[in-house]
Amino acid sequence: MKNIGIWLDSKYALIVRLNENGDSLKKIESGVEFFNRTSTSGSRVKWGGTQDITHEKKYLEKEKQQFKTYFKEVAHAVADCDALALFGPADINEKLKKELEENYPTIGKKIVAVEKVDSMTDNQTRALIRDFFNNR
């Protein structure tokens, strides 16, 4: 049985594959560029014109496409799983779950858990995922 756990945030995903010999770790960088709206127009007094709104829409659309590409890369990396657990801070793991269920239904059906977990080291992530599947 191929159990896979993913810890992800908006910067990278750590994919831990469990097997009889232990586990393996793969890191996927997101490549998402974040839009810093305060740096586009100088002081806050000047901010708020229509030009800023146009730029913000462009950046938000670009960010949305970058997340789709990121999630697609993660989906292809876990396509052969039998059980999938998603971990991460904020709501990024919920977004990935929704993307997998809508656009990759064969993978989306294999999601067994979605849990909020703060940032951890690589070894802590491995231990979390090992413990999760061992205690299931």
Side-chain angles (χ1 to χ4, degrees):
M1 186 161 189
K2 296 178 185 172
N3 293 330
I4 298 177
I6 302 173
W7 182 94
L8 77 156
D9 65 6
S10 54
K11 294 178 185 141
Y12 60 89
L14 294 175
I15 300 171
V16 179
R17 291 177 174 278
L18 301 178
N19 54 44
E20 55 279 346
N21 301 334
D23 60 59
S24 62
L25 179 77
K26 179 179 181 180
K27 186 175 187 176
I28 297 177
E29 299 287 335
S30 72
V32 176
E33 300 169 26
F34 295 98
F35 173 54
N36 183 0
R37 121 180 179 195
T38 57
S39 68
T40 58
S41 56
S43 72
R44 296 197 111 216
V45 176
K46 295 178 187 174
W47 187 80
T50 57
Q51 187 176 16
D52 290 329
I53 293 169
T54 304
H55 286 298
E56 187 171 347
K57 282 183 182 178
K58 283 183 190 176
Y59 282 111
L60 291 176
E61 187 59 35
K62 183 177 178 182
E63 183 180 293
K64 183 178 171 184
Q65 292 305 316
Q66 289 172 338
F67 268 112
K68 280 191 110 30
T69 303
Y70 174 40
F71 290 159
K72 182 179 181 181
E73 192 174 347
V74 170
H76 287 293
V78 299
D80 62 338
C81 72
D82 293 325
L84 181 64
L86 307 176
F87 302 94
D91 63 343
I92 187 94
N93 48 7
E94 292 289 338
K95 288 180 182 179
L96 177 61
K97 179 184 179 204
K98 182 179 176 185
E99 178 74 15
L100 291 174
E101 288 175 345
E102 289 177 2
N103 297 320
Y104 306 92
T106 55
I107 301 170
K109 292 175 189 172
K110 298 175 184 177
I111 297 172
V112 294
V114 179
E115 295 182 16
K116 291 194 184 311
V117 179
D118 285 333
S119 297
M120 298 182 289
T121 65
D122 292 359
N123 287 335
Q124 288 172 326
T125 302
R126 283 180 155 161
L128 169 80
I129 293 168
R130 263 195 319 265
D131 290 346
F132 173 81
F133 282 108
N134 288 338
N135 296 325
R136 226 176 66 131

